[in-house]
Amino acid sequence: MNMNTAKSAPSNFGINVFFIIVCLMIALPFLLVISISLTSEDALSQFGYNLLPKAWSFEAYRIVFEKPTTLLRGYGVTILITVIGTVLSLLLTAMMAYPLSRRDFRYNRQLTFFVFFTMLFNGGLIPFYILMTQYLHLKNTLAALIIPGLLSPFNIMIMKGFLDKISKEIIESAKVDGAREFRIFFQIILPLSTPALATLGLLISFGYWNEWFNALLFIDNDKFIPLQLLLVRILSQADFLANSPMAEVSDKLKYASFPTLSVRMAMAIVASGPMLLIFPFFQKYFVKGITVGSLKE
Amino acid sequence: MGKPEPAELSTLPGNTGRRQPAVLRWVRSEFRHLRKNRELLLLALPGILFKLVIAYFPMVGLILAFKFFRYDEGIFGSKWVGLQNFEFLFKAQDAFRIIRNTLLYNFSYIILGTVSALLLALLLNELSGRLVKVYQTTMFLPFFISMVIVGYIGNAFFDFQNGYLNTLLGYVGIDPHNWYLETTPWIFILPLVSLWKGIGFSTLIYYAGMTGINPDYYEAATLDGATRVQMMRRITLPLIRPLIIILFILGLGNIIRGDFGLHYFLPNNVGPNFPTTDIIDTYVYRALTKLGDINSAAAVGFLQSVVGLITVVTANYVVRKIDDDSALF
């Protein structure tokens, strides 16, 4: 904080200790999963999971990458929807938030209501599903994974909160110089909004990277299965093969050769690891970029 | 409305004659405004069209709650059936259970999440330097993984044979639990995992709000000899109160809409733990995928939307009565 007061060292020490404990507790599950993925099968069945593997092994990762076709296709789909979705979504969000942040925009109130009403009220799952499949015909398309998440009111709220803090004099003086609104937006406002764009871009890209719900609803063609749906399928397939009375004997036999738990943990890491490594690079923007404001003027 | 009387009719031409210039004037001035604002409006247009199609069109589909939907007949062609779709809510013995679970879990998530995030943000606000970023990054990690992965991580803890929890219990000589087949543990596990997943984000939102507070307040308070706790209570908390209330109101809007991912993937969708894990959303999803029961699903969706709207509007109304500045709208 930017307080000039001399902070009492002892209590800061206490706070630091508190946060270290909290952080350790939060990080523990991750460490555990990493450790399991690196534990050899024998050690696993002998000692169970441990925070530090009793016997190290990269076997699980070798198995994951042994037949990489499905996994790589999953990566391809996920990367594609993440990149396209994030760019489109950032643009749409900023283009919507900017007019809303302008007090002199005549339709400010109506537009605010139009956008944020959807946050409070919606048609629910079934009408949405029927719209996507029967009217827009988006079943089994990449668009079905990209479109639903494009414009979230909450993101508009964050963007507007940031734009509200940009001095209106910049806009006024640009207008005096004869700049049109489009130029002001693209050449002045957007560059000034880097922190908000970086923050939102990160949130949005994680949204797409982690997208499983729409995939569950709209995708059953193997070509368009994103990583997360792949993981869902493995999880439910394992349960089905292990528990269902409907599973044939041959299925049960297949279960024997099904990904072991350490392979599943390795897959979880392979699926979410890359994005987690990206996050720290965006960190510096985070606090500056997030301001949730009221909807009132 | 009744038919207009002849006498009124006879005055109509005169009326419109007087009104028309006014209407025209209004149209003309609106048109001028439209021209003046057209570039800003054009910027918002893609978003407006998007919301219209993706968010507003489905609202029309809410009428499906009162229809017997058939794909070949479409939304408008399907037959009206009155309240028939809602009947299962009163017949099924699960109805009470899933509504109770949804409400109680959501309340606990909101309360637990808000209180913890506020506490952490207040403490974080006392610190400065590199460590703050380290803490933030760590607390944020769970926010960035999907609920599917949370389900996988759950496996690592709750697996009967090799799970971490059973290994730990083994060390102290307690018999292993079959976590997925039990009910009581989930009452604690679910709120804990929900907190774990969301705490980084909500702490950040409050923390960002706190850093936006004008430092002059703190300087003046320091000059007056205020302690740090006093400053938290008298400056920080009151100034971020609107933020707390906004997020609280938004949370209430989803009070009857459960966290599908959390409740579907973490308890592994296993029947025996349904009494304490099943919520409206998972129930409807199963009805939809296993039985193809579109009609009950539409009825529940309708209820969720309407109840959500009523809660938010009521909450906001109450807040506005008490403190106008804190209201969301």
Side-chain angles (χ1 to χ4, degrees):
Chain A
M1 255 304 301
N2 30 16
M3 276 182 284
N4 297 326
T5 52
K7 287 178 178 171
S8 49
S11 66
N12 269 0
F13 178 76
I15 296 174
N16 276 313
V17 169
F18 173 76
F19 270 107
I20 288 169
I21 293 172
V22 168
C23 287
L24 279 179
M25 273 159 53
I26 288 176
L28 178 90
F30 290 95
L31 302 178
L32 189 67
V33 167
I34 294 173
S35 146
I36 293 168
S37 74
L38 291 171
T39 306
S40 79
E41 278 306 311
D42 298 339
L44 199 62
S45 52
Q46 218 178 325
F47 308 108
Y49 297 150
N50 282 287
L51 260 187
L52 271 181
K54 303 250 168 172
W56 294 78
S57 151
F58 287 96
E59 181 68 10
Y61 290 91
R62 202 187 57 73
I63 295 175
V64 168
F65 286 108
E66 202 174 41
K67 286 191 201 132
T69 335
T70 331
L71 192 67
L72 285 183
R73 204 161 44 199
Y75 258 116
V77 171
T78 296
I79 290 172
L80 203 63
I81 61 168
T82 304
V83 171
I84 299 177
T86 308
V87 171
L88 280 180
S89 177
L90 266 184
L91 196 65
L92 267 181
T93 307
M95 283 165 69
M96 193 63 152
Y98 176 61
L100 289 181
S101 76
R102 286 275 300 266
R103 300 267 157 95
D104 58 335
F105 178 50
R106 183 171 169 84
Y107 309 102
N108 202 316
R109 282 174 60 90
Q110 291 89 331
L111 197 58
T112 306
F113 178 82
F114 178 82
V115 170
F116 292 101
F117 183 67
T118 63
M119 204 170 180
L120 311 178
F121 191 71
N122 58 57
L125 181 63
I126 300 299
F128 174 68
Y129 180 81
I130 294 173
L131 171 83
M132 291 287 286
T133 55
Q134 306 291 303
Y135 290 82
L136 302 177
H137 304 288
L138 293 178
K139 202 165 167 68
N140 279 320
T141 60
L142 286 183
L145 301 177
I146 295 174
I147 288 179
L150 273 183
L151 192 57
S152 121
F154 196 76
N155 290 342
I156 297 177
M157 211 160 152
I158 291 179
M159 189 72 203
K160 178 181 175 292
F162 184 86
L163 292 174
D164 280 341
K165 291 189 297 192
I166 292 182
S167 153
K168 296 291 172 273
E169 283 152 29
I170 301 174
I171 300 170
E172 284 310 314
S173 64
K175 269 193 186 166
V176 171
D177 291 343
R180 310 287 300 264
E181 297 287 2
F182 276 84
R183 252 191 80 184
I184 298 178
F185 175 70
F186 283 106
Q187 296 192 346
I188 299 175
I189 298 298
L190 280 191
L192 280 175
S193 311
T194 323
L197 291 176
T199 308
L200 280 179
L202 192 71
L203 291 180
I204 294 169
S205 58
F206 268 103
Y208 279 113
W209 188 274
N210 289 334
E211 161 32 61
W212 50 266
F213 188 68
N214 294 309
L216 211 55
L217 288 179
F218 301 120
I219 304 293
D220 42 36
N221 183 335
D222 284 351
K223 269 198 304 199
F224 301 124
I225 294 184
L227 274 182
Q228 303 294 334
L229 185 60
L230 198 64
L231 292 177
V232 174
R233 289 195 166 188
I234 291 171
L235 206 59
S236 54
Q237 210 180 347
D239 294 338
F240 174 76
L241 292 176
N243 303 323
S244 171
M246 307 234 295
E248 304 277 330
V249 180
S250 60
D251 289 334
K252 298 253 184 203
L253 283 177
K254 260 189 247 157
Y255 179 68
S257 64
F258 204 73
T260 61
L261 286 161
S262 35
V263 173
R264 282 152 83 178
M265 293 307 136
M267 291 202 72
I269 289 171
V270 167
S272 49
M275 287 303 270
L276 288 181
L277 291 180
I278 290 178
F279 168 55
F281 296 101
F282 284 81
Q283 241 254 303
K284 61 175 176 179
Y285 296 113
F286 246 61
V287 175
K288 262 192 278 170
I290 287 204
T291 317
V292 176
S294 168
L295 303 180
K296 292 171 303 186
E297 287 162 54
Chain B
M1 272 197 258
K3 282 182 189 164
E5 297 291 310
E8 275 181 286
L9 270 179
S10 66
T11 60
L12 264 178
N15 266 341
T16 46
R18 270 201 308 280
R19 220 173 32 205
Q20 230 169 8
V23 168
L24 269 183
R25 233 181 299 140
W26 178 80
V27 167
R28 226 178 275 141
S29 86
E30 268 312 304
F31 192 70
R32 256 205 314 277
H33 287 306
L34 199 67
R35 273 181 64 91
K36 214 174 132 237
N37 288 279
R38 73 172 188 281
E39 287 184 75
L40 286 176
L41 205 57
L42 218 56
L43 269 178
L45 194 63
I48 295 176
L49 291 178
F50 178 85
K51 278 283 160 205
L52 202 62
V53 174
I54 295 296
Y56 281 90
F57 278 7
M59 287 182 199
V60 180
L62 282 170
I63 58 171
L64 281 181
F66 308 99
K67 288 188 159 205
F68 185 84
F69 182 72
R70 278 177 47 180
Y71 278 102
D72 53 333
E73 290 175 335
I75 292 182
F76 300 104
S78 295
K79 266 204 302 285
W80 292 96
V81 291
L83 294 176
Q84 193 186 308
N85 293 338
F86 294 86
E87 270 171 18
F88 90 100
L89 271 179
F90 302 98
K91 276 199 203 133
Q93 4 162 304
D94 310 320
F96 170 73
R97 190 177 82 189
I98 55 176
I99 293 174
R100 177 201 64 191
N101 284 353
T102 310
L103 290 177
L104 287 183
Y105 276 121
N106 278 340
F107 265 119
S108 73
Y109 298 162
I110 293 178
I111 304 285
L112 202 61
T114 309
V115 172
S116 325
L118 267 177
L119 182 75
L120 288 176
L122 279 174
L123 291 176
L124 208 57
N125 199 27
E126 292 295 311
L127 302 174
S128 53
R130 295 180 65 88
L131 278 176
V132 172
K133 294 210 160 153
V134 177
Y135 299 151
Q136 273 184 337
T137 313
T138 317
M139 293 198 303
F140 237 105
L141 285 180
F143 184 78
F144 286 137
I145 56 171
S146 73
M147 277 302 176
V148 184
I149 304 280
V150 172
Y152 273 70
I153 296 179
N155 260 334
F157 276 86
F158 308 126
D159 188 76
F160 179 69
Q161 282 189 336
N162 301 322
Y164 193 54
L165 280 187
N166 282 347
T167 310
L168 281 185
L169 288 182
Y171 286 144
V172 289
I174 299 177
D175 285 338
H177 279 252
N178 212 333
W179 302 98
Y180 288 112
L181 304 183
E182 289 177 31
T183 49
T184 326
W186 294 101
I187 301 173
F188 305 98
I189 294 170
L190 286 166
L192 216 62
V193 174
S194 167
L195 182 69
W196 173 75
K197 184 127 172 46
I199 190 72
F201 188 68
S202 28
T203 303
L204 176 76
I205 290 203
Y206 288 126
Y207 178 70
M210 289 174 191
T211 54
I213 294 174
N214 189 340
D216 293 353
Y217 290 122
Y218 295 104
E219 268 166 41
T222 321
L223 285 180
D224 291 342
T227 65
R228 288 161 78 176
V229 176
Q230 278 176 325
M231 284 192 266
M232 277 184 204
R233 281 186 46 205
R234 298 294 163 95
I235 300 175
T236 318
L237 276 183
L239 283 176
I240 61 157
R241 192 171 68 170
L243 186 58
I244 303 174
I245 293 177
I246 286 173
L247 294 179
F248 185 72
I249 294 177
L250 287 177
L252 280 184
N254 287 324
I255 197 76
I256 199 169
R257 204 167 284 131
D259 190 336
F260 173 73
L262 178 67
H263 288 256
Y264 188 73
F265 293 117
L266 190 65
N268 233 358
N269 192 23
V270 191
N273 64 41
F274 281 167
T276 53
T277 60
D278 205 17
I279 52 172
I280 299 177
D281 302 75
T282 45
Y283 184 86
V284 169
Y285 180 77
R286 280 203 315 277
L288 195 63
T289 48
K290 290 214 174 119
L291 313 171
D293 189 352
I294 280 199
N295 297 306
S296 303
V300 169
F302 177 85
L303 275 186
Q304 286 182 315
S305 288
V306 173
V307 171
L309 183 66
I310 292 174
T311 5
V312 169
V313 173
T314 316
N316 191 68
Y317 178 79
V318 172
V319 168
R320 217 162 55 188
K321 283 277 150 194
I322 301 168
D323 171 16
D324 193 33
D325 290 335
S326 298
L328 174 63
F329 49 84

